[in-house]
Amino acid sequence: MKFDETDHKLMRLLQEDCKKTTKEYALSLGLSNTAVYERIKRLEKSNTINGYVALLNKELVNRSFTVFCHIKLVQHTKDNIQQFEKDVLKLTEVVECYHLSGDYDYLIKVHVKDMPAYREFMISKLTALHHIGSTQSSFSISEVKHTTAVPIL
C-alpha cells in the first residue's frame, strides 16, 4: 500500500491522540470530514491501523515495576520454541516478548507491582514453563523514553 504525505500526517495525528473527532483531524490536515473518514477507514481496512487502545498510568494500576528478562531455552527445537511462545502468551504480566538472535533466545518485558511480585512471578509462573534453561533479569531504574508510536517519516 502506498501512502502520501497526508496519510503520513494523519497517522502521526492518530498516534498522538486517536480520540479526536474526524472534524478535528480534517481541520489539521485541510481536508473535508469525509476525506479524513475515508482515509482512516482505508488505513483500518488495510490493517495499517491494527486497533485503538487506552494507555494506562502504570503507577495508578500498581504495575510500575518494569523488568526485562532474557531467556535461554534448553534446546532450539521447533517444539520447544512453539511451546514457549504459546505459554508466554498466557502470562498476563508479560507485555512484550521478542524472539532474538545472539546469546539469549527471548526478551520479555514484564510489569508487576514490585520486587516481591516479580519474585512470585518468576517462581510460580516463568520458571514453571518447560524448556527454559536460564534467565537473566534487569530492572528498570527509570523510564527515559517510552512511546507506542511507530515513526512515520
Side-chain angles (χ1 to χ4, degrees), residues 60-104:
L60 295 178
V61 295
N62 290 321
R63 294 289 185 263
S64 61
F65 193 69
T66 302
V67 183
F68 298 93
C69 183
H70 288 89
I71 297 169
K72 274 188 189 178
L73 299 181
V74 175
Q75 287 185 314
H76 298 102
T77 65
K78 182 179 179 180
D79 289 340
N80 288 358
I81 289 168
Q82 288 177 336
Q83 188 61 51
F84 173 79
E85 290 179 2
K86 181 181 172 187
D87 291 341
V88 82
L89 290 173
K90 298 174 188 172
L91 301 175
T92 57
E93 296 87 349
V94 175
V95 296
E96 296 179 47
C97 178
Y98 301 94
H99 193 176
L100 304 174
S101 64
D103 291 339
Y104 289 91

Side-chain angles (χ1 to χ4, degrees), residues 3 10 28 30 45 49-50 62 65 114-115 123 128 136:
F3 303 111
L10 178 58
S28 295
K45 188 174 182 179
I49 296 174
N50 291 323
N62 290 321
F65 193 69
D114 51 21
M115 181 64 83
I123 292 169
Q136 179 186 348

Side-chain angles (χ1 to χ4, degrees), residues 1-12 29 31 35 39 42-43 152-153:
M1 181 170 186
K2 293 216 174 208
F3 303 111
D4 62 18
E5 184 55 34
T6 303
D7 289 326
H8 289 165
K9 288 178 184 175
L10 178 58
M11 287 186 278
R12 284 191 293 271
L29 296 170
L31 297 174
R39 283 179 183 263
R42 182 172 46 87
L43 292 169
I152 305 295
L153 305 174

Side-chain angles (χ1 to χ4, degrees), residues 113-124:
K113 180 179 178 182
D114 51 21
M115 181 64 83
Y118 183 67
R119 182 178 188 280
E120 180 61 28
F121 166 77
M122 282 290 291
I123 292 169
S124 66

